[in-house]
Amino acid sequence: MTTPLICQNYINGQWLHKPSLESHSLESRNPANKNEVIAIFPRSRIEDINAAVAAASQAYHSWRKVPAPARAEYIFRVGELLLENKEELAQLMSREMGKPLTEARGDVQEGIDCAFYSAGEGRRLFGQTTPSEMSNKFAMTVRMPIGVCALITPWNFPVAIPCWKAMPALVCGNTVILKPAEDTPACATKLIEIFASAGLPPGVINLVHGVGEEAGKALVEHPNIDLVSFTGSSETGAFVGATCGRTHKRVCLEMGGKNAQVVMEDADLELALDGAVWGAFGTTGQRCTATSRLILHRDIKEKFTNMLLERTQNLRLGAGTDSNIDIGPIINEKQLQRVKQYIDIAREEGAKILIGGEIATDGELANGYFFEPTILDQVTPKMRVAQEEIFGPVVALIEVSSFEEAIAILNDTNYGLSSSVYTRDINRAFTAMRDIEAGITYINGPTIGAEVHLPFGGVKQTGNGHREAGTTALDIFTEWKSVYVDFSGSLQRAQIDNRG
């Protein structure tokens, strides 16, 4: 066992409120070995939130005036430091939230890619110039920062998602307060240590640990928070959105998904199999873009199902730090029981469990939160397991007789994040791109695998219209200002008809 990391809040350039073993501290445990405490961290109270908001508000007045290319240089340095510390962060992530090391390294790499991409945007915060309707008058638009941004992030990508939010926010001239998930305080602490080491001025970036219903709620409701960027469940997102609407805050929501991969009769089945296994069981199915439905054409369903069964039964469960495993643990006991409950629901609804369906307790697995990779067959589109997000290593098989039926079933959920179609027919491919109701569509690729220079987000109950990553992130973290310069030397009145 290793000595637990003692995490602290980072406010106004200082590490504060070292937690004790008293009531105002919490523990983060290794989901592969629940006896191992990874970190002890503070259960922040309202005074901690107030201090962080005050620091960010004060820092905003000077940070927004730093030229954007200079702000971007700090973020570029963060990227360099992430690169230097990549393996350390990946090892910590595998221990703290369970994903296999190869995936953890990819998570950190996303943060690195985001840093270098965001740094480039510091020289590309473009506005527009446009002709005025009047003589001797100049018209243009410029981007302005929003103010103090609260970033509330989940545990499944504890480096990548905070980077997706913080880096463009800072380049745009905002100051930020990160409130990470309770399950990954150590990853958040190490990440903010890297931001601090890059030399960011005090108050520009702050970290507050704690419980979502306390620290997160206090941030969302705080009158001096100007923007909330939230990634998490649709239920919590609804509360965040309603609160921000009532208090006139800018809000960006990235919530759940019920993503589907369609496999048509003309598909490359080996390629589709690779995509299905990676999409369904990568990160133990704990991704908002995970493949939780496989929509299979009836002509290939039996063959493809047998291929999927053979591949799935060879997947190995274990701790993420073990290089010989394929699937890590579920994040915690509550989520483990949630996944198990959905298997009970599947049985009640008449689905057939082809493989898995149980909590894994063999050998050392009994010390952690492991669930067998599970395939549900004979699933109909209206079953709860075909409609609701499970967030575990569970995939439902749905049979269809046509391409049109496949697209209709794919669209028939309250979510619309990611989607995938495997086909060799170019007409079907372009029809899918047009008709699928989702923010992301892959052709002959799995539902997971976002790249930082493309917009990320979804439709319906997946989000509220904003997109993270890419240049679209700039639209979250900036306001447009229209600027007019009249050099005529006389009063000119727009929209007044002077031609009569």
Side-chain angles (χ1 to χ4, degrees):
M1 295 289 181
T2 57
T3 302
L5 176 69
I6 304 301
C7 300
Q8 298 173 266
N9 290 340
Y10 183 72
I11 298 174
N12 203 28
Q14 297 182 7
W15 294 98
L16 302 171
H17 300 300
K18 189 172 183 178
S20 66
L21 295 179
E22 299 172 357
S23 60
H24 295 299
S25 67
L26 300 165
E27 291 180 343
S28 165
R29 291 178 178 261
N30 184 344
N33 180 6
K34 52 194 173 187
N35 297 317
E36 180 184 7
V37 178
I38 301 297
I40 298 171
F41 60 101
R43 184 170 189 158
S44 295
R45 294 171 283 183
I46 189 63
E47 53 263 36
D48 303 307
I49 301 303
N50 288 339
V53 174
S57 299
Q58 181 62 36
Y60 173 68
H61 297 297
S62 55
W63 179 246
R64 70 181 181 85
K65 296 176 183 177
V66 175
R71 296 194 297 254
E73 289 177 7
Y74 288 101
I75 304 307
F76 191 90
R77 178 57 181 153
V78 172
E80 293 178 320
L81 292 170
L82 282 171
L83 195 56
E84 292 174 15
N85 292 274
K86 181 177 180 179
E87 186 61 23
E88 179 188 357
L89 262 172
Q91 292 280 346
L92 176 61
M93 188 186 304
S94 284
R95 289 175 54 235
E96 187 170 44
M97 67 77 56
K99 68 172 64 175
L101 266 174
T102 51
E103 294 188 42
R105 293 182 185 115
D107 190 317
V108 181
Q109 187 61 49
E110 274 198 65
I112 295 165
D113 294 342
C114 186
F116 295 147
Y117 179 83
S118 299
E121 291 305 302
R123 294 184 181 273
R124 289 190 296 269
L125 290 178
F126 299 138
Q128 293 179 319
T129 60
T130 185
S132 170
E133 64 188 47
M134 296 182 175
S135 301
N136 299 320
K137 189 176 181 182
F138 185 84
M140 62 180 175
T141 61
V142 295
R143 290 185 181 272
M144 304 296 290
I146 304 292
V148 178
C149 303
L151 313 180
I152 302 174
T153 59
W155 45 263
N156 58 340
F157 284 85
V159 170
I161 292 179
C163 287
W164 275 21
K165 297 177 185 295
M167 289 170 172
L170 293 171
V171 168
C172 288
N174 304 285
T175 55
V176 304
I177 302 165
L178 173 64
K179 192 280 168 194
E182 298 97 292
D183 293 289
T184 49
C187 287
T189 296
K190 289 295 183 183
L191 178 61
I192 296 303
E193 284 179 0
I194 287 174
F195 273 88
S197 297
L200 283 161
V204 169
I205 189 164
N206 305 272
L207 170 68
V208 288
H209 295 288
V211 178
E213 294 86 347
E214 299 169 357
K217 184 173 182 286
L219 278 170
V220 172
E221 294 177 341
H222 202 287
N224 293 329
I225 291 290
D226 301 295
L227 178 151
V228 177
S229 179
F230 169 83
T231 299
S233 71
S234 294
E235 294 77 14
T236 304
F239 165 79
V240 172
T243 303
C244 289
R246 187 175 67 253
T247 55
H248 306 290
K249 292 180 175 66
R250 175 79 69 92
V251 62
C252 172
L253 303 175
E254 202 286 291
M255 300 176 287
K258 192 64 180 175
N259 316 291
Q261 173 181 312
V262 173
V263 183
M264 295 305 299
E265 80 283 358
D266 65 336
D268 179 334
L269 294 189
E270 289 291 343
L271 181 64
L273 178 64
D274 288 341
V277 173
W278 176 227
F281 303 128
T283 323
T284 320
Q286 299 173 120
R287 291 177 180 239
C288 54
T289 55
T291 305
S292 57
R293 296 178 294 157
L294 276 171
I295 301 174
L296 307 176
H297 192 278
R298 63 185 180 187
D299 291 352
I300 53 87
K301 181 178 182 290
E302 182 177 359
K303 179 179 180 179
F304 189 81
T305 300
N306 290 332
M307 293 168 65
L308 181 63
L309 273 169
E310 182 180 359
R311 181 76 68 86
T312 302
Q313 68 187 7
N314 292 321
L315 295 174
R316 295 157 297 187
L317 287 169
T321 49
D322 182 347
S323 60
N324 294 316
I325 67 102
D326 302 298
I327 300 179
I330 298 290
I331 187 64
N332 55 39
E333 176 70 26
K334 180 181 178 181
Q335 184 60 25
L336 183 70
Q337 294 303 324
R338 174 185 167 91
V339 176
K340 183 64 172 68
Q341 182 182 15
Y342 269 105
I343 300 305
D344 295 338
I345 291 169
R347 287 193 180 97
E348 293 169 4
E349 291 183 317
K352 180 181 180 181
I353 299 169
L354 298 183
I355 191 172
E358 300 293 339
I359 295 172
T361 57
D362 292 343
E364 293 184 358
L365 299 181
N367 295 323
Y369 307 118
F370 292 93
F371 201 89
E372 297 172 345
T374 302
I375 301 172
L376 304 176
D377 198 8
Q378 299 177 15
V379 174
T380 58
K382 292 300 184 182
M383 288 182 178
R384 288 181 62 187
V385 290
Q387 291 288 325
E388 299 174 16
E389 187 174 44
I390 300 173
F391 228 62
V394 181
V395 64
L397 309 186
I398 302 173
E399 182 179 322
V400 294
S401 58
S402 68
F403 174 74
E404 291 75 19
E405 183 185 5
I407 299 302
I409 289 173
L410 186 153
N411 287 337
D412 187 24
T413 74
N414 291 327
Y415 300 104
L417 180 52
S418 191
S419 57
S420 166
V421 175
Y422 281 79
T423 180
R424 289 188 173 98
D425 188 327
I426 191 170
N427 294 329
R428 283 175 170 172
F430 274 85
T431 300
M433 286 185 271
R434 181 194 67 190
D435 291 347
I436 288 176
E437 298 168 359
I440 303 167
T441 295
Y442 294 88
I443 305 298
N444 295 325
T447 60
I448 62 180
E451 301 180 32
V452 299
H453 55 291
L454 275 74
F456 182 90
V459 300
K460 297 189 272 191
Q461 290 184 20
T462 288
N464 67 330
H466 290 290
R467 294 291 184 270
E468 296 189 302
T471 57
T472 49
L474 306 179
D475 293 327
I476 298 171
F477 295 111
T478 57
E479 295 274 16
W480 283 110
K481 176 181 281 189
S482 296
V483 178
Y484 301 93
V485 180
D486 192 323
F487 54 98
S488 66
S490 60
L491 174 64
Q492 299 192 86
R493 295 183 294 174
Q495 287 86 46
I496 299 297
D497 189 355
N498 296 316
R499 295 170 294 177

